[in-house]
């Protein structure tokens, strides 16, 4: 069994637009540290209305993050797009890749 797993999801952002920039900065800052500690890598996209994220790492770490995101009130209507095992990391050099708001999710 391969211990490298991934989860890709989309969720509705429950963040007032006026607070979005600060909220996303906080999410990215906390997530980068937490992901590094959990040996998780991935990427985040935020459109202002939706989050899209792919995270990859040890199965127990992905389970922990899935549970945390499910409890996070900033996320609503979480929809899993794909999940499972993988052979190699797609974002090996990024504890969390994020390049700013996106117009498309």
């Amino acid at each position: 069994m391969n211990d490298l797993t991934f989860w890709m999801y989309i969720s509705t952002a429950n963040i007032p637009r006026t607070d979005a920039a600060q909220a996303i900065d906080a999410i990215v800052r906390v997530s980068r540290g937490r992901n590094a500690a959990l040996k998780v890598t991935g990427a985040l996209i935020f459109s202002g209305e939706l989050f899209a994220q792919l995270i990859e790492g040890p199965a127990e770490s992905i389970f922990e993050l899935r549970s945390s995101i499910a409890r996070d009130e900033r996320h609503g209507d979480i929809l899993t797009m794909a999940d499972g095992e993988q052979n190699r990391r797609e974002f090996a050099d990024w504890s969390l890749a994020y390049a700013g708001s996106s117009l498309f999710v």
Side-chain angles (χ1 to χ4, degrees):
M1 181 175 142
N2 183 359
D3 191 46
L4 184 60
T5 62
F6 74 97
W7 179 44
M8 183 187 327
Y9 72 90
I10 294 174
S11 68
T12 302
N14 293 330
I15 300 170
R17 286 194 178 266
T18 56
D19 300 335
Q22 290 177 328
I24 297 305
D25 286 347
I27 288 170
V28 170
R29 183 177 58 255
V30 169
S31 296
R32 283 181 173 155
R34 184 175 186 195
N35 288 2
L38 292 171
K39 298 183 172 126
V40 168
T41 55
L44 174 68
I45 298 172
F46 175 65
S47 72
E49 296 178 8
L50 297 171
F51 291 105
Q53 185 168 212
L54 182 139
I55 53 176
E56 55 194 8
E60 64 276 2
S61 296
I62 299 303
F63 177 81
E64 182 177 329
L65 289 175
R66 282 180 85 147
S67 298
S68 176
I69 290 166
R71 291 187 309 270
D72 190 330
E73 294 178 356
R74 296 171 295 192
H75 294 272
D77 303 320
I78 299 169
L79 176 63
T80 296
M81 303 304 291
D83 63 358
E85 295 181 356
Q86 63 187 45
N87 293 322
R88 66 178 178 83
R89 291 178 186 259
E90 298 298 325
F91 297 93
D93 295 330
W94 298 92
S95 62
L96 183 66
Y98 180 73
S101 292
S102 173
L103 297 176
F104 177 77
V105 171

